[in-house]
Amino acid sequence: MSSCITEDQKILLQVVQMILNYLQEQQIGTKVVDYQSPDILKKKLDLSLPEEGVSLSELFGVIQSYLQYSTRTSSSNFFNLLFAGFQPEGLLSEMVTSVTNNTMHTYESSPVATLMEMALIDALNSMVGFDSGEGLMVTGGSNANAIAMLLARHKLLPETKHTGLGGSKLVAFISEQAHYSFLKAANLLGIGMENVVKVKTDRLGCMIPQELEAAIIQSLNDGKTPIFVGATAGTTVLGAFDPFPSIAQITRKYELWLHVDGAWGCPVLFSRKHKHLLAGSELADSFTWDAHKLMGVPLICSAILVKQKGTLSDACSSGDTDYLFHEDENAAYDLGRMSLQCGRKVDALKFWLSWKRHGKNGYEQRVDRLFELASYATEFIRTCKHLELMVQPQFLNICFRYIPDGVDPNTDVDRINLAIRKQLLQSGQAAINYAHYQGRIGIRLILANPEIHEAELNRLFHNIITTGKSCESVMKL
């Protein structure tokens, strides 16, 4: 075998080194983002698509620019979204899946990944409490939520799969803090966004069961057909966990499908200290689980879990697939039979490798460490005269506000907190977002990266306070 390295292989090795340098830079205080406005960034990048192709070496500069101007989600200053950090096994798996370029519709197309995915789904179902469930990896939590609503529709009105909704007036119920994907699902399924009822929540952002039952009764009185309740394990703004046992009693009473969107909060089940937040999870009919969030697996890595076997294939299968699915010894392993997709990327390898590397104990430590950081941040805010908690945190979402000296809290506080967030981002000091809650705007701190330390949280709060005082001066509050 020749030991000569081709020109393309040299370029690939250079890119690998570039990636390693990029990761090293994040350990020495590099900005979380080299922020440029869209108009300026368009001028800095060559976004043209040529008539004639270029050599692989000419793409080197494009990759350099991509790394330079992309937000560093692995940075210790990234607190913006429900994911953060870097896992080397994730990078390795993405390289392997790109090289093999398999698709997940049949066992013969992707034998190893099929067995890995089935093992993962079995493990997740066991953690949720589905003794004989099934499931599938899908393209994000939003997709999983939509499939769950489809399953609810199919359970009540299976003929709809073939004949359409007709005159049925279906209704779904979610909390007012639930993810917006449920509205998109209602649009997609022909239910209509106006038929998604947002149920009132308590001061912590948890669905109020009495309000849910009242909403169901009202829809029945209006001549509509309730089919679905979407509860949440870890809401996007407040990190709230709905009371699943109480909600399950209501859904059983009215024979409604109960889905739990655990995209953010489900991995709490790894922790013996904190899994009580998901008490009653086994009472649901389906679950959304995002491994790319709290578990740190690279995007996208999501699953839909279903309590009853056969449900997914009944609702999602179609005809005209004999060219693809064959009734042979591998038929039970052809996961495409239960999928809305045909071609489906291999997401199982990165999830499987991550679980293999960390184990259940490692994930327990990860979850517990993040709760420790959340407790530290909460206490810092509580005892700091310049900062104010908007609500007592339940999870890893901490909503708080900077309070200017001598200013009426009901006047300019929203405006100054927006200014703080914007200045931190544009200066590259921190990527952190804001959120609306009870008519007020505050800063939403998300703790998803267990590699950060208390000292880095101290620095974040110091930068927020310093920036706030600067904004006070500029805005002349």
Side-chain angles (χ1 to χ4, degrees):
M1 182 175 178
S2 174
S3 61
C4 296
I5 298 177
T6 68
E7 191 63 30
D8 283 355
Q9 288 172 331
K10 289 180 182 178
I11 297 298
L12 291 174
L13 289 172
Q14 287 179 305
V15 172
V16 169
Q17 186 59 54
M18 188 192 306
I19 291 170
L20 294 175
N21 293 340
Y22 172 85
L23 293 171
Q24 182 65 30
E25 288 170 359
Q26 294 185 160
Q27 300 174 13
I28 57 175
T30 302
K31 290 181 178 181
V32 67
V33 62
D34 182 358
Y35 181 83
Q36 311 288 327
S37 70
D39 287 342
I40 292 176
L41 188 55
K42 282 190 285 188
K43 293 176 182 177
K44 289 177 178 281
L45 301 176
D46 179 6
L47 298 174
S48 63
L49 296 172
E51 292 293 326
E52 299 295 332
V54 299
S55 67
L56 191 61
S57 62
E58 291 180 75
L59 301 180
F60 198 81
V62 176
I63 297 170
Q64 283 183 316
S65 296
Y66 187 95
L67 291 173
Q68 178 180 349
Y69 296 114
S70 291
T71 301
R72 293 174 178 263
T73 61
S74 300
S75 167
S76 59
N77 295 314
F78 183 81
F79 306 97
N80 193 329
L81 301 171
L82 303 180
F83 65 90
F86 168 76
Q87 292 187 2
E89 65 275 12
L91 175 59
L92 292 174
S93 65
E94 294 285 39
M95 292 168 63
V96 171
T97 54
S98 291
V99 168
T100 54
N101 200 30
N102 299 133
T103 180
M104 293 296 299
H105 50 34
T106 61
Y107 174 82
E108 68 178 49
S109 297
S110 201
V112 180
T114 294
L115 297 180
M116 285 182 170
E117 180 165 333
M118 295 177 76
L120 286 165
I121 294 299
D122 285 346
L124 295 177
N125 273 323
S126 177
M127 294 190 69
V128 166
F130 292 172
D131 295 332
S132 58
E134 65 179 9
L136 197 69
M137 301 197 71
V138 295
T139 57
S142 294
N143 190 358
N145 288 342
I147 292 172
M149 196 177 289
L150 170 64
L151 298 180
R153 192 195 75 182
H154 186 76
K155 178 184 177 183
L156 183 68
L157 299 172
E159 67 277 7
T160 299
K161 176 178 177 180
H162 300 284
T163 63
L165 281 174
S168 300
K169 297 180 180 179
L170 307 183
V171 185
F173 304 86
I174 60 174
S175 89
E176 59 188 3
Q177 293 290 321
H179 193 256
Y180 66 85
S181 58
F182 289 112
L183 296 172
K184 291 193 171 187
N187 173 26
L188 179 68
L189 295 171
I191 293 171
M193 293 191 294
E194 291 184 0
N195 290 314
V196 177
V197 177
K198 294 185 177 182
V199 179
K200 292 181 181 178
T201 57
D202 62 21
R203 61 184 179 82
L204 296 178
C206 306
M207 184 188 291
I208 302 173
Q210 296 85 348
E211 294 287 347
L212 170 62
E213 184 162 23
I216 293 170
I217 292 171
Q218 182 62 55
S219 72
L220 290 169
N221 291 338
D222 292 341
K224 296 183 178 181
T225 304
I227 63 165
F228 176 89
V229 174
T232 307
T235 57
T236 53
V237 174
L238 299 181
F241 287 74
D242 289 332
F244 308 119
S246 298
I247 293 172
Q249 286 184 345
I250 296 170
T251 56
R252 285 199 301 267
K253 179 178 178 180
Y254 294 95
E255 298 183 345
L256 308 184
W257 185 279
L258 174 56
H259 175 68
V260 174
D261 176 6
W264 174 222
C266 255
V268 167
L269 290 170
F270 283 105
S271 170
R272 284 167 288 186
K273 290 182 182 178
H274 304 289
K275 68 180 181 179
H276 65 273
L277 290 168
L278 269 156
S281 61
E282 74 281 358
L283 302 173
D285 295 295
S286 58
F287 254 86
T288 291
W289 187 307
D290 280 3
H292 63 253
K293 290 181 178 172
L294 189 52
M295 296 178 76
V297 181
L299 289 156
I300 292 288
C301 194
S302 303
I304 174 73
L305 308 175
V306 185
K307 179 181 286 185
Q308 185 65 47
K309 280 188 182 296
T311 305
L312 281 166
S313 57
D314 284 349
C316 300
S317 63
S318 64
D320 300 326
T321 58
D322 56 338
Y323 74 96
L324 187 62
F325 303 122
H326 308 308
E327 299 305 324
D328 56 19
E329 68 276 8
N330 298 327
Y333 295 89
D334 291 344
L335 299 181
R337 296 172 186 265
M338 64 174 73
S339 173
L340 291 175
Q341 296 173 251
C342 180
R344 187 162 63 92
K345 184 178 182 291
V346 172
D347 292 323
L349 179 60
K350 57 190 175 186
F351 194 179
W352 196 90
L353 288 181
S354 295
W355 197 322
K356 190 75 171 178
R357 181 175 185 230
H358 299 283
K360 281 190 175 183
N361 291 340
Y363 281 125
E364 179 178 39
Q365 293 167 14
R366 179 186 181 94
V367 171
D368 290 348
R369 172 57 180 159
L370 288 169
F371 269 94
E372 289 176 2
L373 290 170
S375 178
Y376 178 87
T378 300
E379 189 60 25
F380 187 104
I381 295 166
R382 194 191 310 281
T383 57
C384 180
K385 71 173 185 177
H386 297 291
L387 304 176
E388 171 191 75
L389 283 172
M390 298 179 71
V391 63
Q392 177 62 34
Q394 295 182 69
F395 192 30
L396 309 176
N397 315 39
I398 302 172
C399 294
F400 66 100
R401 305 205 296 170
Y402 172 83
I403 303 297
D405 289 326
V407 173
D408 182 350
N410 296 316
T411 56
D412 294 302
V413 178
D414 286 356
R415 191 159 57 99
I416 198 169
N417 278 273
L418 288 174
I420 291 170
R421 184 259 175 180
K422 183 177 182 180
Q423 187 165 319
L424 288 174
L425 179 67
Q426 294 186 351
S427 66
Q429 294 180 76
I432 193 167
N433 219 324
Y434 68 89
H436 295 260
Y437 180 63
Q438 293 186 338
R440 300 179 299 165
I441 294 175
I443 296 171
R444 187 192 71 155
L445 169 64
I446 298 296
L447 294 169
N449 184 359
E451 300 301 320
I452 67 171
H453 303 286
E454 285 80 359
E456 289 157 334
L457 287 174
N458 290 344
R459 182 179 63 210
L460 170 69
F461 293 130
H462 172 77
N463 287 339
I464 288 171
I465 294 167
T466 301
T467 304
K469 291 185 176 297
S470 174
C471 291
E472 282 186 61
S473 175
V474 172
M475 296 167 71
K476 298 180 181 179
L477 297 182

